[in-house]
Every structure is written in structure tokens, then in C-alpha cells.
Amino acid sequence: MSAHSQAVPHDPHFSVVSAPAFTREHIADLAAGRRAAVRVPGLLPATTCAEILRALEASPFEAYGRQRVQPPVMRFGVGVSDHRTDGTLADSYWPAAEAARNAWDQLGLPYDPFTLCREALGVNWPGAVAVGRQDGRELAPGVAREPNYGFQVHFDEALREFRGDLLDSPLVAQFAFNLYLSVPKTGGETVIWRHRWHPADESHRLPQSYGYSETVVGDAESAEITPAIGEALLLDPRNFHAVRPSEGGRRIALGFSMGLSITGDLLTWG
Ligand SMILES: O=C(O)CCC(=O)C(=O)O
Ligand SMILES: [Fe+2]
């Protein structure tokens, strides 16, 4: 028995597993809250990751909304979080998504990186893995993110962030997908706490921010993941999570949100 298990009881339903591929069980376990995260090293071939990274390194990233996202996080592409007003997806999202699509096209890659990710995620899934739609319009497929100064402690849950259903097909669970293309020499760890949002947590919210003071998680059990190039991470984003600041190199990942829809399909969005 380890010192840890003697001192602090461990929740067997809060664990991180590493596997050669995403299985149905992994996705079901995440959806059901029986697992914190699943790592798949080498989800895409190393040569593909290097090619996507080369294209991105030569491209200008933009910052997420600087009021809400401090310290700044850079992105290539668009996410719903910058276009949310009063719990709805603002009209401004659609031209931004169109511009992002063009920017990704102009990288000149012979494939769409997000399509490759969806295909790899779906190898063992009986339903489709497709980009989600709202009023018939396809959302953005994902975004490249560069949180060199880290992400504050936060959670992601469209059911709480949006009024009604974000997508045409209602979701019964949500996941966060990341595929790491570039990692720093030190830092850049992803930390996940066994703590889900509770109304009283709002007293820990950082003013005007997407994030919370780390006091919000108290002494909850946590798991720390040091990302590796080519590795995919699928996590339950209802659990509060953060990214630690990086040193010695850019931390760039492809990322998107994914929902399990009532149809049994997995639907993604940026
Ligand atoms: O970059 C990461 O490892 C996690 C980022 C994050 O907050 C998310 O994917 O929801
Ligand atoms: Fe997140």
C-alpha cells in the first residue's frame, strides 16, 4: 500500500488511464463520471504532428478576449467562449468561424487536422464523430491554443454556460480534447481536481474572468499530467482543471469540445 493511499482515501472513479486508442469504455466512463481523463500517446503520427506544428509556427496567433482571459492565452482559430453573450452564441461567432476556416485552409496542409483527430477518436465508437451544428450551421471544428502562461482553474460545461442546447442535438455529456503539438521543457502540466462546480464556488471566482482562485478546489484529490508531443488527452471538463505556466518552448495543442449527443453521435466544436 502506498503512503498516499494510507493517508488520503483515493476515489477509484477518479483516475487517469493511458491506452493505445480511445475505446467505447473510455468514452462511457468519462461520460458517466467514472474516470477523470484518458491519454493516448501518438494518436496522430509524429510526422503529421510535426507538419501541423511547422505550419502553425509560421502563422500569427491571436489572443483570447483579454478582459476574460488573464494571463493571456493565444489561439489560432475560433472558440465559442469569445462569442457568448447572455448565455447564447452571438452572431459574431459565424463570420469569425468562417475566417478561421479560411485561415486553416491557407496553412496548405493536405488534410484537415481536426478531421484526423475526429477519425482517430472515433475508431472504436459505433456512432459518428462529427462537427456539431446550430440551426443547421456547422460550428468551427476546433482551435490551436497556446497557454504559455497557463490556464486558470476553471471548468467547461456548455449546459451551464449556454441557455438551452448549444447544438441542434441535445448533449448528455461533454469532454475536452487536446492533442499536444509542442511542449515546453518545464511546466505546462495539466492539473485536474476531483471537484465539480457548486453554487458556493462563485465566491472564489476571479473578477470578470473565466477562472477561479485555486482555493476553490480546497484539498480535493488531483491528478497532474505532463503532456507529451503527439499525445491526446480526453478529460471530463466538469472537473475543475488548470494548466501550469510553461518555460522553455511553446505549448501548442489542437483542442476542441466534444459532446455525447442523445443520438449516440459524438459532436465537436471549437
Ligand atoms: O491544454 C490543456 O491541457 C487543457 C486545456 C483546457 O482547459 C481544456 O481543454 O478544457
Ligand atoms: Fe478547460
Side-chain angles (χ1 to χ4, degrees), residues 145 151 154 156 176 178 180 190 241 243 251:
R145 288 185 296 217
F151 273 113
H154 71 281
D156 307 288
N178 285 276
Y180 304 100
T190 306
H241 53 281
V243 173
R251 185 190 192 278

Coordinates of all heavy atoms in Angstrom, one line a residue, residues 145 151 154 156 176 178 180 190 241 243 251, ligand 1:
R145 N -4.4 26.1 -29.4 CA -4.3 27.0 -28.3 C -2.9 27.0 -27.7 O -2.2 26.0 -27.8 CB -5.2 26.5 -27.2 CG -6.7 26.8 -27.5 CD -7.5 26.5 -26.3 NE -7.5 25.1 -26.0 CZ -8.5 24.4 -25.6 NH1 -9.7 24.9 -25.5 NH2 -8.4 23.1 -25.4
F151 N -3.5 28.1 -17.9 CA -4.9 28.4 -17.8 C -5.3 28.5 -16.3 O -4.8 27.6 -15.5 CB -5.8 27.3 -18.4 CG -6.0 27.4 -19.9 CD1 -5.5 26.5 -20.8 CD2 -6.8 28.3 -20.4 CE1 -5.7 26.5 -22.1 CE2 -7.1 28.4 -21.8 CZ -6.5 27.5 -22.6
H154 N -10.5 26.3 -13.8 CA -11.8 26.5 -14.4 C -12.5 25.2 -14.7 O -11.9 24.2 -14.6 CB -11.7 27.4 -15.7 CG -11.1 26.6 -16.8 ND1 -9.7 26.4 -16.9 CD2 -11.6 26.0 -17.9 CE1 -9.5 25.7 -18.0 NE2 -10.6 25.4 -18.6
D156 N -15.4 23.5 -17.8 CA -16.1 23.8 -19.1 C -17.4 22.9 -19.1 O -17.3 21.7 -18.9 CB -15.3 23.4 -20.3 CG -13.9 24.1 -20.2 OD1 -13.8 25.3 -20.4 OD2 -12.9 23.4 -19.9
A176 N -13.4 17.3 -23.1 CA -12.4 18.3 -23.6 C -11.3 17.5 -24.3 O -10.8 16.6 -23.6 CB -11.9 19.2 -22.6
N178 N -7.6 17.5 -26.3 CA -6.4 18.2 -26.6 C -5.4 17.3 -27.3 O -5.3 16.1 -26.9 CB -5.7 18.7 -25.3 CG -6.5 19.9 -24.8 OD1 -6.2 21.1 -25.2 ND2 -7.4 19.7 -23.9
Y180 N -1.4 17.5 -28.2 CA -0.2 18.4 -27.9 C 0.8 18.3 -29.1 O 1.2 17.2 -29.5 CB 0.5 18.0 -26.6 CG -0.5 18.1 -25.5 CD1 -1.2 16.9 -25.0 CD2 -1.0 19.3 -25.0 CE1 -2.1 17.0 -24.0 CE2 -1.9 19.4 -24.0 CZ -2.5 18.3 -23.5 OH -3.5 18.3 -22.5
T190 N -1.0 19.8 -17.0 CA -2.5 19.9 -16.9 C -2.8 19.3 -15.5 O -2.4 18.2 -15.2 CB -3.2 19.1 -18.0 OG1 -2.7 19.6 -19.2 CG2 -4.7 19.3 -17.9
H241 N -10.1 22.2 -13.7 CA -8.8 21.9 -14.2 C -8.0 23.2 -14.5 O -8.6 24.3 -14.6 CB -8.9 21.0 -15.5 CG -9.8 21.5 -16.5 ND1 -11.1 21.4 -16.5 CD2 -9.5 22.1 -17.7 CE1 -11.7 21.9 -17.6 NE2 -10.7 22.4 -18.3
V243 N -4.0 24.7 -16.3 CA -2.7 24.4 -17.0 C -1.6 25.3 -16.3 O -1.8 26.5 -16.1 CB -2.7 24.7 -18.5 CG1 -1.3 24.5 -19.1 CG2 -3.7 23.7 -19.2
R251 N 3.9 26.0 -25.8 CA 2.9 24.9 -25.5 C 1.7 25.0 -26.5 O 0.9 25.9 -26.2 CB 2.5 24.9 -24.1 CG 1.6 23.7 -23.6 CD 1.1 24.0 -22.3 NE 0.4 22.8 -21.6 CZ -0.8 22.4 -21.8 NH1 -1.5 23.0 -22.8 NH2 -1.3 21.4 -21.2
Ligands
LIG1 O1 -4.4 22.3 -22.5 C1 -4.8 21.5 -21.7 O2 -4.1 20.5 -21.3 C2 -6.2 21.6 -21.2 C3 -6.9 22.9 -21.6 C4 -8.3 23.0 -21.2 O3 -8.6 23.8 -20.3 C5 -9.4 22.3 -21.9 O4 -9.1 21.5 -22.8 O5 -10.5 22.4 -21.5

